[in-house]
Amino acid sequence: MAKEITDGNFEETVLKSNQVALLDFWAQWCGPCRAIAPIIEDLYNEYQDKAVIGKVDVDTNQEIAMQYNIRSIPTILIIKNGEVVDRHVGSTTKQVLKDKLDKYLA
C-alpha cells in the first residue's frame, strides 16, 4: 500500500529523502482520485525500492496542500531533492506517470 504522507511525516519522508517522491494529492469523496488509486498502488509495488510513492489526503493534511498550492485533485507531484520537478493535475494513465517518474530516476 502506498505510503500515507501526512503533515507530520512529510519533511522526514519526502523532503529529507534521497529518493525521488511521487505524491498523489487526493480525497475520499473525489471520483477521479478513486479511479487512479489502483495506478498509484501499482507504482508503489513497482518502485518501492527506488522512489517514495505516497498519498496525501488533502482533507486531513491541509498544511502540505496549501504549501504546494493544490487547487484541484487529483494532483500528482514529483519531488526530487526537495523541489517539485513535475506536476500533473487530473486523471492520467499509469504509463504517463511511469514515464515522468523514470525521467527523474535516471
Side-chain angles (χ1 to χ4, degrees), residues 46-65:
E46 288 181 38
Y47 288 88
Q48 62 184 332
D49 295 331
K50 297 181 246 174
V52 175
I53 308 295
K55 295 176 70 70
V56 181
D57 184 332
V58 296
D59 288 335
T60 57
N61 299 286
Q62 295 176 2
E63 192 176 302
I64 304 169

Side-chain angles (χ1 to χ4, degrees), residues 68-84:
Y68 288 97
N69 203 27
I70 304 300
R71 300 272 185 234
S72 299
I73 53 174
T75 292
I76 309 290
L77 296 184
I78 297 178
I79 299 175
K80 182 175 184 176
N81 299 323
E83 299 292 323
V84 175

Side-chain angles (χ1 to χ4, degrees), residues 16-70:
K16 290 184 178 178
S17 175
N18 59 359
Q19 292 183 317
V20 173
L22 181 143
L23 303 181
D24 172 23
F25 287 80
W26 71 289
Q28 200 76 30
W29 48 265
C30 169
C33 299
R34 288 194 309 271
I36 68 166
I39 293 171
I40 301 302
E41 292 304 319
D42 285 351
L43 291 174
Y44 172 77
N45 291 328
E46 288 181 38
Y47 288 88
Q48 62 184 332
D49 295 331
K50 297 181 246 174
V52 175
I53 308 295
K55 295 176 70 70
V56 181
D57 184 332
V58 296
D59 288 335
T60 57
N61 299 286
Q62 295 176 2
E63 192 176 302
I64 304 169
M66 287 188 335
Q67 179 180 346
Y68 288 97
N69 203 27
I70 304 300

